Amino acid sequence: MKQYIELSQEVQKGMEAGLPIVALESTIISHGMPYPQNVQTAREVEQILRDHGAVPATIAIIDGKIKIGLSDEELEMFGNAKDVAKASRRDIPYLIATKKIGATTVAATMIAAELAGIELFVTGGIGGVHRGAETTMDISADLEELATSKVGVVCAGAKSILDIGLTLEFLETKGVPVMGYGTDELPAFFTRQSGFDVNFRVNTPEEVANTLRTKWNLNMKGGAVIANPIPEVDALDHDFITDIIMKALAEANEQGIHGKDVTPFLLGKVKELTEGKSLVANIALVKNNALVGAKIAVALNNNK
Ligand code: PSU
Ligand code: MN
């Protein structure tokens, strides 16, 4: 298996020193944000982790390897490349075998993190059950992965491009705990409110770390969602963003978008229709997640 995995120098050294490592996904870089803001944000997020005692490991598929940690040149190349395939669980073997460039989704990043022994992962938003899934069966592989891989995922909740209620039902069926970091309500990415309760409110990094450690000590497979609300000052107006999401959904329907293109299409439309406001909010919430994620990773590392 080792032939398929390559650690960056920074990650290798961090592991040898017993430092907490935090995984970062790369679909958010290739499909979630435009160049050059994507590369700049990725660098800033990595630095926030370092500044708070953790080692960043941005994950991507390059040259027939799952890279655990990218060098600065790799990050630049990746963020600016034209032919990057979105890689979820299904896509990993083909992209490695054909030496294509793959951007790992939440699901694929969790797989890579677990293979590398990384217990915590920071991102923006997770995939979920799409609206209309009762006929399209469009349910993100992220959810199945949360039930399978032993990785904690810090995010800002789920966007209301999804059916948040059904997403929570699916996670409940699969036994994935959804914890609210300092909140009783599941945040909806751009806003702090979704109208849905989390399963457990957690108030400290230690509470999160102890819960994860207990789960894994019990030999229960799978991870957990740690939902960290966007800071109040960065949140978008609920009615403004709801209206835009409805328009994006209608357009996706009209154009018959399906499969792996649905999420990137909706994210792109939202960005376009908000004239960049969503991008600013997206960057702010990912940085905030990195801050919280670093603290959780440190607490997890102190509780081995
Ligand atoms: N939701 C977001 N931002 C993202 C994604 C989802 O708010 O960048 C990306 C993540 O990489 C996630 C993926 O894992 O989309 C889910 O895609 P799908 O719904 O096709 O599984
Ligand atoms: Mn899908």
Side-chain angles (χ1 to χ4, degrees), residues 18-91:
L19 297 173
I21 319 281
V22 173
L24 298 163
E25 65 156 305
S26 48
T27 296
I28 190 172
I29 303 175
S30 62
H31 292 68
M33 293 182 194
Y35 181 82
Q37 287 98 328
N38 59 354
V39 174
Q40 196 191 331
T41 303
R43 285 198 180 112
E44 288 172 4
V45 165
E46 289 194 349
Q47 196 53 45
I48 291 170
L49 292 172
R50 289 186 195 102
D51 291 346
H52 294 85
V55 176
T58 301
I59 291 174
I61 298 171
I62 303 174
D63 283 340
K65 307 256 187 218
I66 302 176
K67 300 259 186 179
I68 313 287
L70 301 184
S71 68
D72 211 50
E73 298 76 55
E74 284 172 330
L75 192 60
E76 181 69 32
M77 179 282 292
F78 183 90
N80 200 8
K82 296 279 165 282
D83 48 353
V84 180
K86 181 177 155 196
S88 195
R89 171 178 272 272
R90 160 190 83 181
D91 312 286

Side-chain angles (χ1 to χ4, degrees), residues 25 27-28 86 105-106 125-127 130 140-142 159 189 260 263 267:
E25 65 156 305
T27 296
I28 190 172
K86 181 177 155 196
T105 62
V106 169
I126 54 168
H130 282 263
S140 174
D142 292 355
K159 279 200 182 81
F189 199 86
K260 69 192 276 192
T263 300
L267 298 180

Side-chain angles (χ1 to χ4, degrees), residues 147-161:
T148 307
S149 291
K150 292 184 174 181
V151 180
V153 179
V154 180
C155 65
K159 279 200 182 81
S160 54
I161 59 170

Side-chain angles (χ1 to χ4, degrees), residues 229-249:
I230 183 171
E232 197 95 56
V233 291
D234 300 305
L236 298 183
D237 178 72
H238 174 268
D239 293 346
F240 166 75
I241 194 67
T242 302
D243 185 50
I244 279 170
I245 284 172
M246 290 307 158
K247 284 185 182 139
L249 285 164

Side-chain angles (χ1 to χ4, degrees), residues 85-248:
K86 181 177 155 196
S88 195
R89 171 178 272 272
R90 160 190 83 181
D91 312 286
I92 295 173
Y94 170 79
L95 294 172
I96 291 178
T98 56
K99 296 196 162 51
K100 294 197 163 79
I101 305 181
T104 53
T105 62
V106 169
T109 306
M110 289 183 76
I111 293 170
E114 190 180 59
L115 285 174
I118 300 171
E119 299 182 318
L120 200 82
F121 165 23
V122 164
T123 188
I126 54 168
V129 180
H130 282 263
R131 294 173 187 237
E134 55 275 28
T135 48
T136 63
M137 292 185 74
D138 190 351
I139 300 174
S140 174
D142 292 355
L143 300 185
E144 195 70 52
E145 208 56 51
L146 280 159
T148 307
S149 291
K150 292 184 174 181
V151 180
V153 179
V154 180
C155 65
K159 279 200 182 81
S160 54
I161 59 170
L162 302 168
D163 188 319
I164 295 179
L166 290 187
T167 300
L168 286 168
E169 291 292 348
F170 193 96
L171 289 170
E172 179 173 328
T173 300
K174 294 287 180 176
V176 178
V178 177
M179 297 185 256
Y181 195 81
T183 181
D184 295 305
E185 186 170 351
L186 181 72
F189 199 86
F190 295 122
T191 60
R192 296 169 63 90
Q193 283 87 31
S194 68
F196 292 92
D197 290 342
V198 294
N199 308 139
F200 314 106
R201 179 190 180 122
V202 284
N203 294 310
T204 64
E206 288 72 25
E207 257 181 89
V208 178
N210 292 342
T211 303
L212 289 172
R213 187 61 70 215
T214 302
K215 174 166 184 166
W216 298 331
N217 281 343
L218 288 167
N219 230 344
M220 294 170 80
K221 71 180 176 131
V225 175
I226 301 117
N228 183 35
I230 183 171
E232 197 95 56
V233 291
D234 300 305
L236 298 183
D237 178 72
H238 174 268
D239 293 346
F240 166 75
I241 194 67
T242 302
D243 185 50
I244 279 170
I245 284 172
M246 290 307 158
K247 284 185 182 139

